[in-house]
Amino acid sequence: MEKNIPTVYDPQAVEEKWYKYWEDNGFFHEEVNKDKKPFSIVIPPPNVTGQLHMGHALDNALQDILIRFRRMQGYNTLWMPGTDHAGIATQIKVEEMLVKEGSSRHDLGREKFIEKVWEWKEQYGDRIIKQLKSLGASCDWQRERFTMDEGCSEAVREVFVSLYEKGLIYQGNRITNWCPRCNTALSDIEVEHEEKPGNLYHVRYLVKGSQGEYVTVATTRPETMLGDTAVAVNPEDARYRDLIGKQLVLPLVGRLIPVIADEYVDPAFGTGAVKITPAHDPNDFEMGLRHNLPQIVVIANDGTMAADTGKYAGLDRYECRKILVADLDEIGSLVKVDDHMHAVGHCQRCTTVVEPLVSKQWFVKIQSLAEPAIEAVTTGAIQFVPERFTKTYINWMENIRDWCISRQLWWGHRIPAWYCECGETIVAREAVTACPKCGSHRIEQDEDVLDTWFSSGLWPFSTMGWPEDTEELEQFYPTSVLVTGYDIIFFWVARMIMMGLEFKKEIPFKHVFIHGLVRDSQGRKMSKSLGNGIDPLEVIDKNGADTLRFTLVTGNTPGNDMRFYWERVESSRNFANKLWNASRFVLMNLEDVTTVEQLASYGATAKKEDYFTLADKWILSRCAKTVSEVTRNLERFELGEAARLLYEFIWNEYCDWYIEMAKARLYNKEAVEARNTAQYVLWYVLENTLKLLHPFMPFITESIWQHLPHDGQSIMVADWPTDSSATLINEDTEQQMVIMMETIKSIRNMRAEVNVPPGKKSEVILQITASEFQQVFASNLQYIKTLASAESVQLLGADDAKPDNAMTAVVSGVEIYLPLKGLIDIEKESLRLNKELTTLGKEIARIDGKLSNEGFVAKAPAEVIAKEKAKAEEYQEKQTAIRERLAYLATL
């Protein structure tokens, strides 16, 4: 134990040193211990392509706080770390690298390309893990997993085959979201919709056999009309009732298509008649199935027009739109074009506008999986924090569609299905070499891979060894809490609940702790396009991980977005410095103490002989309350409130008040018992406070704790302060101390108001109007003298005459008088006040001049005028206060 800590807190030196110490000593890892209550969290696995961003920093700071808290409480803890192979995102990265090298994945072939991706993963895949360590994440790195390691891959195959055998996985031609750039199908939740300005094109279709009778349809995507196979109207729409069943002539193509009736059509949208293109719109696809309409594909996988679209073949879909609209106008079929805002779907990965296309894909039948997953939440077996996200989850789950799980990629879990030339499809857990139906060896595995969310949906149990029955699964599953953002409730949370219930017959976690997004100071989402992203590593490099963690958690409430302000970073750094400097002071005054036992003996003696002062009893009571309140808030996932309580207690109560009150006893080495008592209380409160703060700011608390007299190897495995300290809570003492502090603050404010120099002592008169405080003040006048710069303190009874010519303030039960004669230079103070009065008069005249200027009032915005009026009122109030002060000074 080294008492002397550096004068200045250096986060970089401290953080690197102590993280290595924790890892070297294995404090992050715990073996299964059935004698302990388990507490487990699985990390939302970051992509191997990833770089730590503010969302990661917040998410992992919250997880680390919870795991460190429970570890100190004595739970058998597991924070399971790992990374996700990230399908599309990783494949794109490697393909971009190959382009720079002058080749492509097709040049390499599938096998060689996969080798390249594994090489890339080995080189860059652990980058984000190193960054998480710099944040202080206390994951069990000995158990680190990857979604494509052998154990997780075995789990994926087992789940796929099991679902297939149960009839819950099927293959079919259905319409899916298709990304022309990534060249793969996407699930609904991988598509981000954004309101964009566009056009609504009104096109008229000739009724066959009529003389100039038309049906006008409105569409946002006229290029798809080449694949129209019907026009639909609502059966109750009187405008079109006579046309149902008739044939229309498709403009530019000449193909005949029927008018059909379907209740899905909204008569109020557009013209009430809609073109039906089953191969290129999900709603049209469903309508096409209902009416047995053909599917005509007119847009290819790469977003160009299909080969059989005549003059438009090979054109980009948007270039085709321009030419086709011009052609419609030329033949008189274009009625009008209106401006129209509409939701446009974009690929989440590359932001390309997705194209609904019919293709052969693998799907999971979701209904039977969704029902128990809904019940788990409605019955409270799984609880969302905050509770309002329960409704979000339920609404989505009740309207869930079958899940498209196949992706046209090379990187990922390859679908365990093989096709024989005889037409047989074989789905198996192990590689198939011969067809079980015809015996042929000419079989080929499906080219597609699984959606990355398929494997991450198994994360809570696949990482613990499933499908084997492991001791980790028995002890740590279900996990205790999932910490995640609201933006992946549907991607990930719902998948894990469905898979956990299906394959483990248990919920995967008991609580889902939802946090919001980290936005910039203007409330905007951080993004590359806006250039407003803030790199958490930059914050760590400049200010330390503890500062970043405390910044992200303070003011954070479950489920709500938060704004990132550099001013709050500065505040958190100042808090770390305040704690460091206060701890240096305590350590300097413990230079003659070497052991916890020595301090404990001081405490025992103080309790026995009641050496405790009012300040001692107060800070011990406040410390006990803080233990109780911080613990309660952590258990309720109110981490931001717990951090706020700690900040207030450490800065305001311990540093600003108690340390100042203890100084006189610390410096008087002749009064041994009094000094020893102050040493004990300073140490006891600081050590317990460091333990409470450790989950939030692990590095600085470890560093200080290691310098204090302590028992054990590390604060991170020290015992959490318990409610047994509640016996120290004393409401009467707290009330008495509050009155004492309010009195001192009032005296300080009065002195500041009349500019009394800090070093000049003043006379203080206190009239105690509440009898219960008479003895309190009589016994503790030293606090007034020391902390309020009082030369003398006179106590008056409730019935004594009030002093004349004194400033006055009132706090509950006490009237405070500060005689000013002789305390300030009245002439000098009067001169200063008169000068300020003149300045205010000029400012008021200037504002009056502005507001009486008709030109200014006519042109200036309303808020500017309101601001000027508010200024004038403020200056007038100051004038009145100064005149009153001058009148008072004249009486002295």
Side-chain angles (χ1 to χ4, degrees), residues 446-492:
D446 195 304
E447 291 286 320
D448 292 351
V449 300
L450 287 164
D451 176 10
T452 187
W453 296 102
F454 191 93
S455 51
S456 55
L458 318 181
W459 190 247
F461 54 90
S462 67
T463 51
M464 295 186 199
W466 187 90
E468 300 297 323
D469 290 323
T470 65
E471 60 176 4
E472 281 84 2
L473 273 171
E474 189 178 343
Q475 176 74 342
F476 295 118
Y477 188 93
T479 61
S480 307
V481 57
L482 175 77
V483 182
T484 189
Y486 59 68
D487 52 335
I488 57 171
I489 290 175
F490 313 131
F491 283 101
W492 193 42

Side-chain angles (χ1 to χ4, degrees), residues 651-670:
W651 189 299
N652 296 332
E653 296 177 324
Y654 184 67
C655 296
D656 284 356
W657 285 100
Y658 181 72
I659 286 178
E660 294 303 314
M661 290 175 164
K663 281 180 178 177
R665 285 182 293 158
L666 292 171
Y667 298 157
N668 186 358
K669 296 189 178 182
E670 293 179 5

